Amino acid sequence: MHEKKGYIAEIKSKTGVNVNRCYQCGKCSAGCAVAEEMDYPPSRVMRLLQTNDVENFNQLLGSESIWLCVSCQNCLTRCPMEIDIPHLMDFMREKAIKEKKVIKKANHILSFHRAFLDSVQYTGRLYEIGLIADYKVRTFNLIQDMDVAPQMFLKGKLPLIPELVEDKKQIQTIFSKTKI
Ligand code: SF4
Ligand code: SF4
């Protein structure tokens, strides 16, 4: 749980980002390909974080923006202060899950993340058919994109047998230390 004030220090210690360095030039939002879809574009996220107000922080944890960010790094490349917004977004996604504040609209994105990680956890690599099946079961969206499956299969993009890494133990160790 947060204190009423004080998450800025937590952000700094977990991500290295000092939100107070942002001077609201807006270059991050201008360069973000998904800013228009976001409820809070990256520069607005920074402004809200600077208030150090727990209500604003919770609002961001329950926002769609943190799930729409695709970690493309465009904002970081453009930022004159080199503020690592993608890392910040990762931190907030993790926090939103832990504090059960994930917005309903983002459930399908979270399902995709989980299906992706399940695939990597069990095979050590991405197993596309496993990923698709896992995602569909999680979202009950069974017929989505079914029309493209035959073409992908014919082009060899959907191998039937998963490729396994040799040392699965190492993968399990990584997941046991990091999965939330
Ligand atoms: S580009 Fe950097 S300094 Fe400018 S608004 Fe975005 S985070 Fe702030
Ligand atoms: S990393 Fe996220 S916030 Fe930054 S430009 Fe890419 S999508 Fe936008």
Side-chain angles (χ1 to χ4, degrees), residues 21-29 42-43 46 75 78-83 85:
R21 293 186 75 226
C22 166
Y23 63 92
Q24 289 292 294
C25 68
K27 286 192 177 178
C28 49
S29 295
S43 54
M46 295 308 299
C75 49
R78 287 175 159 236
C79 177
M81 303 306 285
E82 298 181 347
I83 293 172
I85 294 179

Side-chain angles (χ1 to χ4, degrees), residues 16-153:
V17 172
N18 178 356
V19 298
N20 288 323
R21 293 186 75 226
C22 166
Y23 63 92
Q24 289 292 294
C25 68
K27 286 192 177 178
C28 49
S29 295
C32 173
V34 289
E36 280 189 21
E37 311 301 323
M38 290 174 161
D39 33 11
Y40 304 103
S43 54
R44 182 80 184 139
V45 169
M46 295 308 299
R47 185 67 198 107
L48 286 172
L49 288 176
Q50 285 174 336
T51 63
N52 210 18
D53 184 309
V54 80
E55 274 175 33
N56 286 341
F57 188 59
N58 285 338
Q59 217 170 313
L60 289 172
L61 293 187
S63 73
E64 206 180 358
S65 298
I66 61 175
W67 296 100
L68 289 178
C69 167
V70 292
S71 301
C72 67
Q73 317 270 318
N74 247 354
C75 49
L76 174 58
T77 313
R78 287 175 159 236
C79 177
M81 303 306 285
E82 298 181 347
I83 293 172
D84 194 345
I85 294 179
H87 196 169
L88 199 57
M89 294 291 198
D90 267 342
F91 166 78
M92 288 195 287
R93 283 193 279 257
E94 197 178 318
K95 200 88 176 158
I97 293 172
K98 279 187 185 153
E99 300 198 0
K100 301 193 187 328
K101 291 201 164 69
V102 178
I103 188 173
K104 241 187 175 169
K105 266 167 102 179
N107 277 348
H108 64 292
I109 301 173
L110 186 55
S111 295
F112 185 84
H113 282 247
R114 292 205 190 282
F116 184 95
L117 285 174
D118 277 358
S119 170
V120 176
Q121 182 173 6
Y122 296 119
T123 65
R125 298 181 193 279
L126 177 62
Y127 173 45
E128 290 82 355
I129 291 184
L131 165 73
I132 295 166
D134 193 343
Y135 174 73
K136 285 182 179 298
V137 168
R138 286 173 186 275
T139 57
F140 298 110
N141 211 341
L142 301 179
I143 53 167
Q144 183 188 10
D145 297 330
M146 283 303 270
D147 51 329
V148 295
Q151 295 165 44
M152 287 182 72
F153 184 73

